[in-house]
Amino acid sequence: MKTRVLLLGLSTYAEFLLNALHETGDAEIVAVDKDEETVNRIADRVSRPVIGNAANLDLLAELQVPDMDYVVVSMGSLESSVICVLYLKELGARQIVAKALNNEHVKVLELLGVQEIVFPERAVAKLTAVRLLHPIVINAMSFDSEQSIVEVKAPEAWVGRSVKELALEDTYGLGAALIVDGATGQLNWPQAERTIESGDALVLFGANDQFEELEKNVPGVPSLKGRLAAGLFGGARHPR
């Protein structure tokens, strides 16, 4: 059964999300926006295109909100976004994902109990800053204040060595979740005899302190302690 997603407001972020979901073929998408031209442009990529103001209780009531697996709110104004979230709560939405426009918007959405808050501009800017300063980092995400998962380009010191030889867990306390083949982009499980080649990337996980130990001992690996703990790479916040 396909995942049912309701998109409310077709911002640039929402349209990129729509495209990504459409490409998988695993989602049934209902998209709502008050701009007719915008809705017509994406109509062939959704199950149901709707022209209308998503911050309208009567309209939302017609869209079977409780049956949706996810409702994504990506409205152009803070007021419309907040009103929309309030109506979705009233209608029994199961999982709300909301795009934040600024820090104040984040705080309001947290108070409303939104399960996932996305701040794309902030997340992309922070990741870009880290990648400019530390080109070896491809991506990273904090699990909490103590642990992270980081994708790094294989340092030159690792090239030609097997996963077993690197002994990442024994030496640094870091686990290798995946190896990304530099030639094909294929994801591989980190088999012990797999030799690291130039251009490969490794997805590592573990305590932030251990990433600092890795930095001290392997040339070219940046220190991530503190940056990860501060949630530098986090684009979403999950209210507790």
Side-chain angles (χ1 to χ4, degrees):
M1 185 175 178
K2 292 186 177 183
T3 300
R4 302 191 68 187
V5 180
L6 174 59
L7 292 179
L8 301 176
L10 291 171
S11 63
T12 301
Y13 160 76
E15 191 163 347
F16 274 117
L17 175 60
L18 184 157
N19 290 339
L21 292 170
H22 174 69
E23 287 171 6
T24 68
D26 295 327
E28 182 180 327
I29 308 166
V30 177
V32 182
D33 196 275
K34 59 185 177 183
D35 185 78
E36 182 176 358
E37 183 178 346
T38 300
V39 174
N40 289 338
R41 186 177 67 246
I42 57 86
D44 62 339
R45 287 169 272 160
V46 301
S47 303
R48 182 183 174 188
V50 179
I51 301 170
N53 181 6
N56 179 285
L57 182 58
D58 292 334
L59 175 61
L60 292 174
E62 295 175 6
L63 298 177
Q64 299 177 312
V65 167
D67 295 333
M68 298 292 172
D69 295 299
Y70 297 94
V71 181
V72 180
V73 180
S74 187
M75 311 291 286
S77 75
L78 189 153
E79 181 181 1
S80 295
S81 173
V82 170
I83 291 172
C84 190
V85 168
L86 288 171
Y87 287 155
L88 291 172
K89 290 280 188 178
E90 182 178 336
L91 292 169
R94 285 191 270 170
Q95 185 83 2
I96 300 174
V97 179
K99 175 191 171 185
L101 302 172
N102 50 46
N103 290 326
E104 289 70 27
H105 195 184
V106 169
K107 294 175 183 177
V108 173
L109 292 172
E110 286 180 334
L111 289 172
L112 294 176
V114 172
Q115 291 93 334
E116 184 167 354
I117 302 167
V118 182
F119 202 160
E121 293 83 359
R122 180 172 64 185
V124 172
K126 288 179 177 179
L127 179 56
T128 301
V130 170
R131 292 181 65 177
L132 289 175
L133 296 172
H134 305 288
I136 197 171
V137 175
I138 298 172
N139 211 339
M141 180 179 68
S142 298
F143 292 131
D144 50 38
S145 62
E146 301 295 333
Q147 300 181 81
S148 301
I149 182 166
V150 182
E151 182 181 1
V152 298
K153 299 174 187 176
E156 192 64 34
W158 291 359
V159 174
R161 302 176 65 186
S162 69
V163 173
K164 183 178 181 179
E165 286 179 276
L166 292 178
L168 294 170
E169 188 167 359
D170 292 339
T171 307
Y172 306 110
L174 297 173
L178 290 169
I179 296 177
V180 185
D181 190 294
T184 66
Q186 183 176 353
L187 302 178
N188 302 294
W189 296 111
Q191 298 177 347
E193 302 306 319
R194 166 65 155 82
T195 299
I196 303 300
E197 299 179 2
S198 180
D200 285 352
L202 288 85
V203 179
L204 308 176
F205 62 90
N208 296 334
D209 287 347
Q210 299 308 118
F211 281 104
E212 185 177 29
E213 290 301 312
L214 181 69
E215 182 270 336
K216 290 178 181 177
N217 292 279
V218 180
V221 178
S223 175
L224 301 173
K225 184 181 178 183
R227 295 185 179 91
L228 292 171
L232 181 57
F233 300 94
R237 297 177 62 179
H238 306 271
R240 295 184 182 277

